[in-house]
Amino acid sequence: MSSQETLPQDVRGVHIHFVGIKGTGMAALVEILYARGAVITGSDVSERFYTDEILEKLHLTALPFAEENITDAVQYVIYSSAYNPEKNPDLVAARRRGIPIILYTEALGAVSRSAYSCGVCGVHGKTTTTGLVGTLLKALDLPSQVLAGSIIASFDGSCTMTTPEFVAHQKKYPANDEPAYFVAETCEYQRHFMAFCPQKIILTSVESDHQDYYPTYEDIRAAFTDYLCKLPQNGQVIYCADDKGACETVSLAKEKRADIQAIPYGTTAAGAYKITFGRTEGGKQHFSLGEKTGKSSANGIGECALSVPGEHNMRNAAAAIALVTELLRTARKNPADYTDKIKSALLSFSGGKRRSEVIGRAKTPRGEEVIVLDDYGHHPTAIKTTLEGYRSFYKNHKIIVDFMSHTYTRTAALLEEFASAFGSADMVIVNKIYGSAREDASAAGVTGEILAACTKKYNKNTIYAAEFDEAARIALGELSKPSGAKDGYLFVTMGAGDNWKVGKQVLETLWER
Protein backbone atom coordinates (compact mmCIF):
# COMPACT_ATOMS: atom_id res chain seq x y z
CA MET A 1 0.00 0.00 0.00
CA SER A 2 1.39 3.36 -0.99
CA SER A 3 2.00 5.95 1.70
CA GLN A 4 0.42 9.39 1.42
CA GLU A 5 3.47 10.95 3.05
CA THR A 6 6.65 11.96 1.26
CA LEU A 7 10.00 13.56 1.95
CA PRO A 8 10.77 17.17 1.03
CA GLN A 9 13.10 17.63 -1.95
CA ASP A 10 15.55 19.63 0.14
CA VAL A 11 16.40 17.59 3.25
CA ARG A 12 19.20 19.78 4.61
CA GLY A 13 18.73 20.12 8.36
CA VAL A 14 15.66 17.85 8.34
CA HIS A 15 15.65 15.31 11.21
CA ILE A 16 14.79 11.83 9.91
CA HIS A 17 14.54 8.77 12.16
CA PHE A 18 15.05 5.29 10.60
CA VAL A 19 13.29 2.26 12.09
CA GLY A 20 15.31 -0.80 11.08
CA ILE A 21 18.34 1.33 10.27
CA LYS A 22 20.68 -1.70 9.95
CA GLY A 23 18.89 -3.10 6.89
CA THR A 24 21.07 -2.97 3.79
CA GLY A 25 18.71 -0.73 1.83
CA MET A 26 17.96 1.40 4.88
CA ALA A 27 21.65 1.96 5.68
CA ALA A 28 22.27 2.89 2.04
CA LEU A 29 19.41 5.40 2.12
CA VAL A 30 20.86 6.80 5.36
CA GLU A 31 24.10 7.44 3.48
CA ILE A 32 22.27 9.13 0.61
CA LEU A 33 20.24 11.45 2.85
CA TYR A 34 23.21 12.13 5.14
CA ALA A 35 25.20 13.27 2.10
CA ARG A 36 22.30 15.58 1.25
CA GLY A 37 22.46 17.24 4.67
CA ALA A 38 19.75 15.46 6.69
CA VAL A 39 20.05 14.91 10.45
CA ILE A 40 19.83 11.15 11.07
CA THR A 41 18.91 8.94 14.02
CA GLY A 42 17.77 5.34 13.95
CA SER A 43 16.83 2.19 15.83
CA ASP A 44 17.24 -1.55 15.36
CA VAL A 45 18.01 -4.83 17.11
CA SER A 46 21.20 -5.17 19.13
CA GLU A 47 22.73 -7.96 16.96
CA ARG A 48 25.72 -6.68 15.01
CA PHE A 49 25.46 -6.59 11.20
CA TYR A 50 27.96 -5.56 8.55
CA THR A 51 25.97 -2.35 8.10
CA ASP A 52 27.04 -1.28 11.61
CA GLU A 53 30.38 -0.37 10.01
CA ILE A 54 28.60 1.92 7.54
CA LEU A 55 26.71 3.66 10.34
CA GLU A 56 29.84 4.03 12.47
CA LYS A 57 31.60 5.87 9.65
CA LEU A 58 28.77 8.42 9.86
CA HIS A 59 29.12 8.50 13.69
CA LEU A 60 25.67 6.94 14.06
CA THR A 61 24.61 4.30 16.58
CA ALA A 62 21.45 2.22 16.29
CA LEU A 63 19.27 2.74 19.37
CA PRO A 64 17.10 -0.03 20.87
CA PHE A 65 13.47 0.24 19.75
CA ALA A 66 11.66 2.54 22.20
CA GLU A 67 9.01 5.24 22.20
CA GLU A 68 11.58 7.62 23.70
CA ASN A 69 13.46 7.62 20.38
CA ILE A 70 10.74 9.80 18.89
CA THR A 71 11.52 13.24 20.30
CA ASP A 72 10.11 16.64 19.45
CA ALA A 73 13.03 17.11 17.04
CA VAL A 74 12.05 14.21 14.74
CA GLN A 75 10.28 15.44 11.60
CA TYR A 76 9.97 12.26 9.52
CA VAL A 77 10.24 8.53 10.21
CA ILE A 78 11.33 6.05 7.53
CA TYR A 79 10.71 2.38 8.32
CA SER A 80 11.57 -1.04 6.94
CA SER A 81 8.71 -3.29 5.85
CA ALA A 82 10.00 -5.81 8.42
CA TYR A 83 8.37 -3.72 11.18
CA ASN A 84 4.66 -3.30 11.86
CA PRO A 85 3.49 0.31 12.38
CA GLU A 86 0.87 -1.00 14.80
CA LYS A 87 3.38 -2.81 17.04
CA ASN A 88 6.85 -1.24 16.77
CA PRO A 89 7.22 1.26 19.67
CA ASP A 90 9.03 3.89 17.56
CA LEU A 91 6.31 3.79 14.89
CA VAL A 92 3.48 3.78 17.46
CA ALA A 93 4.98 6.87 19.09
CA ALA A 94 5.46 8.62 15.74
CA ARG A 95 1.83 8.03 14.79
CA ARG A 96 0.62 9.28 18.14
CA ARG A 97 2.61 12.47 17.65
CA GLY A 98 1.35 12.90 14.09
CA ILE A 99 4.84 12.59 12.60
CA PRO A 100 4.82 11.37 8.95
CA ILE A 101 5.96 7.75 8.66
CA ILE A 102 7.20 6.60 5.25
CA LEU A 103 7.98 3.09 4.02
CA TYR A 104 11.55 2.64 2.73
CA THR A 105 10.48 2.08 -0.88
CA GLU A 106 8.31 5.22 -0.81
CA ALA A 107 11.20 7.22 0.64
CA LEU A 108 13.49 5.94 -2.11
CA GLY A 109 10.83 6.99 -4.60
CA ALA A 110 10.81 10.49 -3.11
CA VAL A 111 14.59 10.69 -3.49
CA SER A 112 14.26 9.59 -7.12
CA ARG A 113 11.87 12.46 -7.83
CA SER A 114 14.48 15.00 -6.76
CA ALA A 115 17.04 13.94 -9.38
CA TYR A 116 17.47 12.59 -12.90
CA SER A 117 17.05 9.01 -11.74
CA CYS A 118 17.88 5.64 -13.27
CA GLY A 119 16.67 2.31 -11.96
CA VAL A 120 18.58 -0.98 -12.22
CA CYS A 121 16.21 -3.95 -12.17
CA GLY A 122 16.07 -7.65 -13.01
CA VAL A 123 15.81 -11.03 -11.31
CA HIS A 124 19.62 -11.41 -11.41
CA GLY A 125 22.57 -9.05 -11.41
CA LYS A 126 21.00 -5.90 -9.94
CA THR A 127 23.55 -5.29 -7.20
CA THR A 128 26.65 -6.02 -9.27
CA THR A 129 25.39 -3.94 -12.19
CA THR A 130 24.57 -1.02 -9.90
CA GLY A 131 28.01 -1.34 -8.32
CA LEU A 132 29.61 -1.27 -11.77
CA VAL A 133 27.62 1.85 -12.73
CA GLY A 134 28.76 3.59 -9.55
CA THR A 135 32.38 2.55 -10.11
CA LEU A 136 32.31 4.08 -13.59
CA LEU A 137 30.53 7.27 -12.51
CA LYS A 138 33.00 7.71 -9.67
CA ALA A 139 35.73 8.14 -12.29
CA LEU A 140 33.79 10.73 -14.32
CA ASP A 141 32.88 14.37 -13.76
CA LEU A 142 29.10 14.01 -13.57
CA PRO A 143 27.25 15.11 -10.41
CA SER A 144 25.97 11.69 -9.36
CA GLN A 145 24.89 9.49 -6.49
CA VAL A 146 24.48 5.71 -6.62
CA LEU A 147 22.71 3.32 -4.21
CA ALA A 148 23.46 -0.42 -4.40
CA GLY A 149 21.92 -3.29 -2.46
CA SER A 150 25.18 -4.30 -0.81
CA ILE A 151 28.59 -2.97 0.15
CA ILE A 152 30.68 -2.39 -2.97
CA ALA A 153 34.46 -2.57 -2.58
CA SER A 154 35.09 0.36 -4.93
CA PHE A 155 32.61 2.48 -2.94
CA ASP A 156 35.16 2.53 -0.10
CA GLY A 157 33.30 -0.09 1.94
CA SER A 158 29.91 1.56 1.47
CA CYS A 159 26.62 0.79 -0.27
CA THR A 160 26.58 4.21 -1.92
CA MET A 161 28.78 6.47 -3.99
CA THR A 162 28.60 10.27 -4.09
CA THR A 163 30.88 12.25 -6.41
CA PRO A 164 32.46 15.57 -5.34
CA GLU A 165 30.63 17.11 -8.28
CA PHE A 166 27.34 16.04 -6.69
CA VAL A 167 28.22 17.75 -3.40
CA ALA A 168 29.16 20.95 -5.25
CA HIS A 169 25.97 20.68 -7.31
CA GLN A 170 23.83 20.46 -4.16
CA LYS A 171 25.33 23.71 -2.88
CA LYS A 172 24.88 25.46 -6.22
CA TYR A 173 21.32 24.23 -6.84
CA PRO A 174 19.77 23.73 -3.38
CA ALA A 175 16.23 23.78 -4.72
CA ASN A 176 16.98 20.92 -7.15
CA ASP A 177 15.95 23.10 -10.07
CA GLU A 178 18.92 21.65 -11.97
CA PRO A 179 18.74 17.94 -11.07
CA ALA A 180 21.83 15.78 -10.63
CA TYR A 181 21.99 12.08 -11.52
CA PHE A 182 20.83 9.33 -9.18
CA VAL A 183 21.14 5.60 -9.91
CA ALA A 184 19.59 2.98 -7.63
CA GLU A 185 19.02 -0.74 -7.48
CA THR A 186 15.25 -1.22 -7.60
CA CYS A 187 13.48 -4.34 -6.35
CA GLU A 188 10.65 -6.21 -8.06
CA TYR A 189 9.37 -7.97 -4.93
CA GLN A 190 5.78 -6.89 -4.15
CA ARG A 191 6.21 -4.33 -6.97
CA HIS A 192 8.41 -2.18 -4.74
CA PHE A 193 10.05 -0.59 -7.76
CA MET A 194 6.76 1.05 -8.75
CA ALA A 195 7.47 3.78 -6.17
CA PHE A 196 10.63 4.74 -8.10
CA CYS A 197 10.54 7.42 -10.80
CA PRO A 198 13.03 6.39 -13.51
CA GLN A 199 14.27 8.41 -16.47
CA LYS A 200 16.27 5.41 -17.70
CA ILE A 201 16.15 1.73 -16.73
CA ILE A 202 18.58 -1.17 -16.94
CA LEU A 203 16.74 -4.51 -17.26
CA THR A 204 19.08 -7.46 -16.71
CA SER A 205 16.71 -10.43 -16.68
CA VAL A 206 13.13 -11.57 -16.16
CA GLU A 207 12.11 -15.08 -15.12
CA SER A 208 9.95 -16.79 -12.53
CA ASP A 209 10.85 -15.85 -8.95
CA HIS A 210 9.24 -14.73 -5.65
CA GLN A 211 6.54 -17.36 -6.17
CA ASP A 212 4.85 -16.35 -2.90
CA TYR A 213 3.90 -13.06 -4.56
CA TYR A 214 4.14 -13.90 -8.29
CA PRO A 215 2.65 -17.41 -8.70
CA THR A 216 3.37 -17.48 -12.45
CA TYR A 217 6.04 -16.20 -14.80
CA GLU A 218 3.43 -14.03 -16.48
CA ASP A 219 2.73 -12.31 -13.15
CA ILE A 220 6.33 -11.23 -12.59
CA ARG A 221 6.76 -10.30 -16.25
CA ALA A 222 3.69 -8.05 -15.99
CA ALA A 223 5.26 -6.24 -13.02
CA PHE A 224 8.44 -5.53 -14.97
CA THR A 225 6.38 -4.40 -17.96
CA ASP A 226 4.48 -1.92 -15.78
CA TYR A 227 7.76 -0.63 -14.38
CA LEU A 228 9.13 0.03 -17.87
CA CYS A 229 5.95 1.92 -18.65
CA LYS A 230 6.82 4.38 -15.87
CA LEU A 231 9.53 5.78 -18.14
CA PRO A 232 8.88 9.32 -19.41
CA GLN A 233 8.22 10.11 -23.06
CA ASN A 234 11.09 8.67 -25.13
CA GLY A 235 12.65 7.19 -21.98
CA GLN A 236 15.33 4.54 -22.42
CA VAL A 237 15.41 0.91 -21.33
CA ILE A 238 18.82 -0.76 -21.62
CA TYR A 239 18.06 -4.48 -21.72
CA CYS A 240 19.89 -7.79 -22.04
CA ALA A 241 19.23 -9.15 -25.52
CA ASP A 242 20.55 -12.55 -24.36
CA ASP A 243 17.73 -12.94 -21.82
CA LYS A 244 14.43 -14.21 -23.22
CA GLY A 245 12.35 -12.74 -20.41
CA ALA A 246 13.93 -9.31 -20.75
CA CYS A 247 13.26 -9.32 -24.51
CA GLU A 248 9.62 -10.36 -23.98
CA THR A 249 9.14 -7.68 -21.33
CA VAL A 250 10.56 -4.93 -23.55
CA SER A 251 8.36 -6.09 -26.41
CA LEU A 252 5.23 -5.96 -24.21
CA ALA A 253 6.17 -2.53 -22.89
CA LYS A 254 6.66 -1.18 -26.41
CA GLU A 255 3.23 -2.50 -27.40
CA LYS A 256 1.84 -0.17 -24.74
CA ARG A 257 4.39 2.62 -25.22
CA ALA A 258 5.87 2.77 -28.72
CA ASP A 259 7.91 5.84 -27.73
CA ILE A 260 10.15 3.89 -25.34
CA GLN A 261 13.71 3.64 -26.66
CA ALA A 262 14.97 0.06 -26.32
CA ILE A 263 18.77 -0.27 -26.25
CA PRO A 264 20.06 -3.87 -26.32
CA TYR A 265 23.30 -5.27 -24.93
CA GLY A 266 24.72 -8.79 -25.04
CA THR A 267 26.20 -11.32 -27.42
CA THR A 268 23.05 -11.33 -29.56
CA ALA A 269 22.67 -7.54 -29.56
CA ALA A 270 23.42 -5.30 -32.49
CA GLY A 271 25.19 -1.98 -32.21
CA ALA A 272 27.49 -0.33 -29.72
CA TYR A 273 26.79 -2.72 -26.84
CA LYS A 274 27.25 -6.03 -28.65
CA ILE A 275 29.53 -8.28 -26.57
CA THR A 276 32.24 -10.42 -28.10
CA PHE A 277 33.82 -12.67 -25.48
CA GLY A 278 37.58 -12.81 -25.57
CA ARG A 279 39.96 -14.67 -23.27
CA THR A 280 40.53 -15.22 -19.55
CA GLU A 281 44.12 -14.86 -18.41
CA GLY A 282 46.10 -13.29 -15.61
CA GLY A 283 43.03 -12.95 -13.39
CA LYS A 284 41.22 -10.84 -16.01
CA GLN A 285 38.37 -11.44 -18.45
CA HIS A 286 38.81 -9.72 -21.79
CA PHE A 287 35.88 -8.86 -24.04
CA SER A 288 34.93 -6.20 -26.56
CA LEU A 289 31.90 -3.98 -26.97
CA GLY A 290 30.72 -2.84 -30.36
CA GLU A 291 29.89 -4.18 -33.78
CA LYS A 292 32.40 -4.32 -36.59
CA THR A 293 31.18 -2.45 -39.64
CA GLY A 294 33.10 -3.50 -42.71
CA LYS A 295 36.76 -2.55 -42.51
CA SER A 296 36.18 0.18 -39.94
CA SER A 297 36.83 -0.23 -36.22
CA ALA A 298 34.13 -1.21 -33.75
CA ASN A 299 31.48 1.45 -33.23
CA GLY A 300 31.43 0.76 -29.49
CA ILE A 301 34.02 1.20 -26.78
CA GLY A 302 36.22 -1.65 -28.07
CA GLU A 303 38.26 -4.05 -25.96
CA CYS A 304 37.71 -4.05 -22.19
CA ALA A 305 38.87 -6.14 -19.24
CA LEU A 306 37.17 -7.13 -16.00
CA SER A 307 38.71 -8.46 -12.78
CA VAL A 308 35.70 -10.50 -11.58
CA PRO A 309 34.71 -13.93 -12.97
CA GLY A 310 31.86 -15.03 -15.19
CA GLU A 311 30.28 -14.23 -18.53
CA HIS A 312 27.29 -12.90 -16.60
CA ASN A 313 29.54 -10.19 -15.16
CA MET A 314 30.70 -9.19 -18.63
CA ARG A 315 27.03 -8.70 -19.45
CA ASN A 316 26.58 -6.66 -16.28
CA ALA A 317 29.59 -4.55 -17.29
CA ALA A 318 28.10 -3.97 -20.75
CA ALA A 319 24.86 -2.76 -19.15
CA ALA A 320 26.77 -0.38 -16.87
CA ILE A 321 28.84 1.01 -19.75
CA ALA A 322 25.67 1.50 -21.79
CA LEU A 323 23.93 3.46 -19.03
CA VAL A 324 26.95 5.64 -18.28
CA THR A 325 27.42 6.32 -22.00
CA GLU A 326 23.78 7.36 -22.36
CA LEU A 327 24.05 9.58 -19.26
CA LEU A 328 27.08 11.33 -20.76
CA ARG A 329 25.00 12.02 -23.87
CA THR A 330 22.16 13.31 -21.70
CA ALA A 331 24.66 15.66 -20.04
CA ARG A 332 25.71 16.84 -23.54
CA LYS A 333 29.18 15.32 -23.20
CA ASN A 334 31.02 13.28 -25.82
CA PRO A 335 31.35 9.67 -24.55
CA ALA A 336 34.43 9.16 -26.74
CA ASP A 337 36.29 11.64 -24.51
CA TYR A 338 35.76 9.30 -21.53
CA THR A 339 36.69 5.92 -23.05
CA ASP A 340 40.01 5.53 -21.24
CA LYS A 341 38.53 6.51 -17.88
CA ILE A 342 35.64 4.07 -18.31
CA LYS A 343 37.98 1.17 -19.18
CA SER A 344 40.31 1.95 -16.28
CA ALA A 345 37.41 2.20 -13.81
CA LEU A 346 35.93 -1.06 -15.11
CA LEU A 347 39.17 -2.90 -14.44
CA SER A 348 39.24 -1.53 -10.87
CA PHE A 349 35.88 -3.11 -9.99
CA SER A 350 36.41 -5.99 -7.57
CA GLY A 351 32.82 -6.87 -6.70
CA GLY A 352 30.64 -6.42 -3.65
CA LYS A 353 29.86 -8.08 -0.38
CA ARG A 354 28.43 -11.57 -0.94
CA ARG A 355 28.91 -11.17 -4.71
CA SER A 356 31.77 -13.56 -5.59
CA GLU A 357 33.47 -12.12 -2.51
CA VAL A 358 36.84 -13.62 -1.62
CA ILE A 359 36.52 -14.23 2.13
CA GLY A 360 40.02 -15.53 2.63
CA ARG A 361 42.77 -17.96 1.66
CA ALA A 362 44.33 -20.77 3.65
CA LYS A 363 46.34 -23.97 3.27
CA THR A 364 45.14 -27.55 3.69
CA PRO A 365 47.09 -29.90 5.99
CA ARG A 366 48.81 -31.11 2.80
CA GLY A 367 49.83 -27.55 1.87
CA GLU A 368 47.34 -27.00 -0.96
CA GLU A 369 45.78 -23.56 -1.30
CA VAL A 370 42.09 -23.08 -0.45
CA ILE A 371 40.30 -19.97 -1.74
CA VAL A 372 37.03 -19.34 0.12
CA LEU A 373 34.34 -17.39 -1.75
CA ASP A 374 30.88 -16.27 -0.69
CA ASP A 375 28.10 -15.49 -3.15
CA TYR A 376 24.47 -14.42 -2.78
CA GLY A 377 23.28 -16.51 -5.76
CA HIS A 378 19.89 -17.94 -4.75
CA HIS A 379 18.10 -18.55 -8.06
CA PRO A 380 18.96 -21.53 -10.30
CA THR A 381 20.02 -19.37 -13.25
CA ALA A 382 22.31 -17.25 -11.08
CA ILE A 383 23.81 -20.35 -9.46
CA LYS A 384 24.47 -22.04 -12.82
CA THR A 385 26.03 -19.02 -14.53
CA THR A 386 28.09 -18.04 -11.47
CA LEU A 387 29.55 -21.54 -11.07
CA GLU A 388 30.27 -21.73 -14.79
CA GLY A 389 32.15 -18.46 -14.38
CA TYR A 390 34.18 -19.90 -11.51
CA ARG A 391 34.98 -23.00 -13.57
CA SER A 392 36.40 -20.79 -16.32
CA PHE A 393 38.12 -18.23 -14.07
CA TYR A 394 39.55 -20.73 -11.56
CA LYS A 395 40.41 -23.32 -14.20
CA ASN A 396 42.79 -25.49 -12.18
CA HIS A 397 40.84 -25.73 -8.91
CA LYS A 398 38.61 -28.38 -7.39
CA ILE A 399 35.29 -26.64 -6.64
CA ILE A 400 33.28 -27.47 -3.52
CA VAL A 401 29.96 -25.66 -3.03
CA ASP A 402 27.95 -25.34 0.19
CA PHE A 403 24.42 -24.24 -0.78
CA MET A 404 21.52 -23.02 1.36
CA SER A 405 18.30 -22.53 -0.57
CA HIS A 406 16.18 -19.49 0.31
CA THR A 407 12.41 -19.88 0.81
CA TYR A 408 10.39 -23.04 0.58
CA THR A 409 8.12 -21.63 -2.12
CA ARG A 410 11.02 -20.85 -4.47
CA THR A 411 12.66 -24.23 -3.81
CA ALA A 412 9.44 -26.14 -4.45
CA ALA A 413 8.58 -24.21 -7.61
CA LEU A 414 12.07 -24.58 -9.12
CA LEU A 415 13.22 -27.87 -7.59
CA GLU A 416 14.57 -29.50 -10.78
CA GLU A 417 16.15 -26.23 -11.90
CA PHE A 418 17.99 -25.93 -8.57
CA ALA A 419 19.05 -29.58 -8.65
CA SER A 420 20.57 -29.30 -12.13
CA ALA A 421 22.35 -25.97 -11.50
CA PHE A 422 25.52 -27.39 -9.92
CA GLY A 423 27.08 -29.05 -12.96
CA SER A 424 30.28 -27.01 -12.66
CA ALA A 425 30.92 -28.11 -9.06
CA ASP A 426 33.03 -31.10 -8.12
CA MET A 427 31.17 -31.52 -4.82
CA VAL A 428 27.93 -30.08 -3.43
CA ILE A 429 26.90 -29.80 0.22
CA VAL A 430 23.23 -28.89 0.68
CA ASN A 431 22.00 -27.32 3.92
CA LYS A 432 18.47 -27.08 5.32
CA ILE A 433 16.27 -24.47 3.65
CA TYR A 434 16.43 -20.89 4.88
CA GLY A 435 12.73 -20.09 5.20
CA SER A 436 10.83 -16.84 5.17
CA ALA A 437 8.55 -15.72 7.99
CA ARG A 438 5.92 -15.05 5.32
CA GLU A 439 5.50 -18.70 4.29
CA ASP A 440 4.21 -21.98 5.68
CA ALA A 441 7.09 -24.45 5.44
CA SER A 442 4.87 -27.45 6.17
CA ALA A 443 2.69 -26.70 3.16
CA ALA A 444 5.56 -26.42 0.68
CA GLY A 445 6.25 -30.15 0.42
CA VAL A 446 10.00 -29.69 0.09
CA THR A 447 13.00 -29.82 2.43
CA GLY A 448 16.73 -29.40 2.13
CA GLU A 449 17.07 -33.18 2.23
CA ILE A 450 14.69 -33.54 -0.72
CA LEU A 451 16.69 -30.91 -2.63
CA ALA A 452 19.92 -32.79 -1.90
CA ALA A 453 18.46 -36.08 -3.12
CA CYS A 454 17.25 -34.42 -6.30
CA THR A 455 20.62 -32.70 -6.84
CA LYS A 456 22.35 -36.07 -6.49
CA LYS A 457 20.64 -37.18 -9.71
CA TYR A 458 22.65 -34.54 -11.57
CA ASN A 459 25.79 -34.40 -9.43
CA LYS A 460 26.63 -37.72 -7.78
CA ASN A 461 28.99 -36.09 -5.30
CA THR A 462 26.19 -34.37 -3.36
CA ILE A 463 25.82 -34.63 0.45
CA TYR A 464 23.09 -33.32 2.74
CA ALA A 465 24.24 -31.52 5.90
CA ALA A 466 21.38 -29.73 7.61
CA GLU A 467 23.47 -27.78 10.11
CA PHE A 468 26.53 -25.61 9.54
CA ASP A 469 28.81 -27.47 11.94
CA GLU A 470 28.15 -30.70 10.06
CA ALA A 471 28.68 -28.99 6.70
CA ALA A 472 32.01 -27.56 7.89
CA ARG A 473 33.15 -31.00 9.12
CA ILE A 474 32.31 -32.56 5.76
CA ALA A 475 34.09 -29.77 3.88
CA LEU A 476 37.19 -30.02 6.08
CA GLY A 477 37.23 -33.79 5.60
CA GLU A 478 37.25 -33.32 1.84
CA LEU A 479 39.92 -30.60 2.06
CA SER A 480 42.18 -32.99 3.96
CA LYS A 481 42.41 -35.15 0.82
CA PRO A 482 44.58 -34.43 -2.24
CA SER A 483 42.57 -32.20 -4.57
CA GLY A 484 43.95 -33.70 -7.77
CA ALA A 485 43.89 -30.13 -9.14
CA LYS A 486 46.95 -28.09 -10.05
CA ASP A 487 46.01 -25.01 -7.98
CA GLY A 488 44.14 -26.58 -5.06
CA TYR A 489 40.60 -25.92 -3.86
CA LEU A 490 37.89 -23.32 -4.35
CA PHE A 491 35.34 -23.54 -1.52
CA VAL A 492 32.14 -21.59 -2.21
CA THR A 493 29.28 -20.77 0.15
CA MET A 494 26.25 -19.80 -1.91
CA GLY A 495 22.72 -18.64 -1.13
CA ALA A 496 20.70 -15.83 0.44
CA GLY A 497 20.81 -17.39 3.90
CA ASP A 498 23.55 -17.26 6.52
CA ASN A 499 25.60 -20.28 5.42
CA TRP A 500 28.53 -17.91 4.90
CA LYS A 501 29.22 -19.06 8.46
CA VAL A 502 30.33 -22.41 7.03
CA GLY A 503 33.08 -20.72 5.03
CA LYS A 504 34.13 -18.71 8.05
CA GLN A 505 34.34 -21.87 10.18
CA VAL A 506 36.37 -23.68 7.50
CA LEU A 507 38.83 -20.80 7.27
CA GLU A 508 39.23 -20.46 11.02
CA THR A 509 39.89 -24.19 11.40
CA LEU A 510 42.49 -24.21 8.62
CA TRP A 511 44.22 -21.14 10.08
CA GLU A 512 44.38 -22.79 13.50
CA ARG A 513 46.08 -25.81 11.99
Side-chain angles (χ1 to χ4, degrees):
M1 184 173 67
S2 180
S3 169
Q4 299 300 309
E5 306 290 354
T6 189
L7 290 172
Q9 286 200 336
D10 185 359
V11 296
R12 290 176 301 164
V14 176
H15 187 154
I16 304 171
H17 182 77
F18 283 74
V19 176
I21 194 170
K22 293 185 183 184
T24 301
M26 293 282 277
L29 187 57
V30 164
E31 290 185 291
I32 292 292
L33 295 177
Y34 183 91
R36 297 187 180 198
V39 176
I40 307 290
T41 56
S43 55
D44 212 314
V45 296
S46 59
E47 182 182 353
R48 186 170 179 84
F49 295 93
Y50 71 85
T51 51
D52 278 292
E53 296 178 15
I54 296 173
L55 300 177
E56 286 161 4
K57 288 179 182 179
L58 303 179
H59 307 290
L60 296 173
T61 301
L63 303 166
F65 295 124
E67 293 188 14
E68 292 74 23
N69 295 334
I70 309 302
T71 66
D72 291 338
V74 174
Q75 294 168 270
Y76 294 88
V77 173
I78 295 174
Y79 71 102
S80 161
S81 60
Y83 298 99
N84 188 333
E86 306 297 332
K87 297 180 180 179
N88 179 271
D90 299 53
L91 296 173
V92 169
R95 276 193 166 172
R96 187 172 61 246
R97 286 172 172 264
I99 297 171
I101 64 171
I102 307 169
L103 187 62
Y104 162 78
T105 50
E106 299 289 343
L108 182 60
V111 171
S112 72
R113 287 190 290 274
S114 68
Y116 187 103
S117 295
C118 307
V120 180
C121 70
V123 172
H124 319 297
K126 293 186 290 291
T127 300
T128 299
T129 303
T130 307
L132 281 158
V133 171
T135 302
L136 302 186
L137 287 174
K138 186 179 179 182
L140 308 184
D141 57 1
L142 293 179
S144 54
Q145 271 192 323
V146 177
L147 183 155
S150 183
I151 288 177
I152 304 297
S154 50
F155 289 6
D156 301 320
S158 166
C159 298
T160 67
M161 186 283 301
T162 301
T163 63
E165 290 80 8
F166 182 90
V167 176
H169 185 278
Q170 288 290 103
K171 294 177 181 177
K172 187 175 180 181
Y173 302 105
N176 295 302
D177 53 351
E178 186 69 30
Y181 300 101
F182 178 56
V183 181
E185 176 179 340
T186 55
C187 179
E188 70 277 6
Y189 185 62
Q190 294 184 339
R191 290 180 167 245
H192 285 158
F193 51 22
M194 293 303 288
F196 198 80
C197 297
Q199 301 291 317
K200 302 182 193 297
I201 289 174
I202 288 176
L203 176 61
T204 64
S205 55
V206 179
E207 60 181 295
S208 183
D209 199 12
H210 305 298
Q211 287 78 9
D212 59 324
Y213 189 79
Y214 300 113
T216 69
Y217 163 68
E218 288 74 20
D219 292 330
I220 196 169
R221 187 182 63 186
F224 278 103
T225 302
D226 289 346
Y227 183 45
L228 297 194
C229 288
K230 288 203 71 177
L231 286 166
Q233 187 73 18
N234 298 313
Q236 295 176 321
V237 55
I238 297 164
Y239 72 100
C240 184
D242 300 340
D243 185 86
K244 180 182 177 182
C247 293
E248 290 178 355
T249 301
V250 169
S251 179
L252 289 170
K254 283 187 68 65
E255 286 179 10
K256 297 181 177 182
R257 291 273 311 280
D259 62 286
I260 292 175
Q261 297 181 42
I263 301 174
Y265 67 89
T267 58
T268 56
Y273 310 117
K274 177 180 178 60
I275 302 173
T276 302
F277 294 133
R279 64 197 185 282
T280 299
E281 63 181 24
K284 297 181 181 66
Q285 296 192 108
H286 297 265
F287 64 102
S288 64
L289 277 186
E291 199 169 21
K292 294 285 185 180
T293 53
K295 295 181 180 180
S296 63
S297 59
N299 60 5
I301 200 171
E303 185 167 334
C304 306
L306 196 59
S307 301
V308 292
E311 290 184 2
H312 61 295
N313 278 326
M314 287 187 264
R315 290 185 175 88
N316 293 338
I321 291 170
L323 177 59
V324 168
T325 300
E326 298 304 324
L327 283 176
L328 286 168
R329 292 195 175 107
T330 298
R332 298 183 178 85
K333 296 178 183 289
N334 182 2
D337 295 337
Y338 294 84
T339 297
D340 290 343
K341 288 184 177 180
I342 288 173
K343 290 183 179 182
S344 178
L346 185 67
L347 192 56
S348 74
F349 180 76
S350 57
K353 192 167 187 65
R354 304 219 62 208
R355 271 71 181 179
S356 297
E357 180 185 9
V358 177
I359 302 301
R361 298 169 187 261
K363 295 284 187 181
T364 71
R366 294 174 174 270
E368 291 188 285
E369 184 179 50
V370 180
I371 302 172
V372 178
L373 290 184
D374 182 47
D375 190 83
Y376 191 68
H378 57 281
H379 187 282
T381 303
I383 294 164
K384 184 175 185 294
T385 56
T386 300
L387 292 177
E388 286 173 349
Y390 294 162
R391 176 58 68 195
S392 175
F393 201 76
Y394 298 98
K395 294 177 182 176
N396 301 310
H397 290 75
K398 183 172 183 178
I399 301 176
I400 303 173
V401 179
D402 181 90
F403 177 66
M404 186 178 210
S405 193
H406 181 225
T407 79
Y408 289 88
T409 50
R410 180 187 282 122
T411 308
L414 304 174
L415 182 61
E416 289 296 327
E417 289 90 338
F418 273 114
S420 61
F422 297 92
S424 295
D426 295 296
M427 179 179 181
V428 184
I429 303 168
V430 177
N431 307 141
K432 65 183 179 183
I433 294 172
Y434 185 78
S436 166
R438 296 182 295 266
E439 60 184 356
D440 179 4
S442 63
V446 69
T447 63
E449 192 166 12
I450 290 172
L451 174 59
C454 196
T455 302
K456 199 174 183 69
K457 294 188 301 183
Y458 299 92
N459 189 319
K460 293 182 179 179
N461 199 9
T462 299
I463 299 174
Y464 179 62
E467 304 301 332
F468 298 158
D469 286 350
E470 181 186 1
R473 283 196 300 273
I474 291 169
L476 287 164
E478 187 67 21
L479 293 172
S480 69
K481 306 172 185 176
S483 69
K486 179 183 174 183
D487 295 329
Y489 285 96
L490 181 71
F491 182 70
V492 183
T493 53
M494 182 170 270
D498 56 351
N499 61 321
W500 54 266
K501 295 174 182 176
V502 177
K504 184 179 178 182
Q505 191 171 332
V506 165
L507 270 178
E508 289 174 348
T509 303
L510 291 176
W511 285 333
E512 286 172 2
R513 289 175 177 171

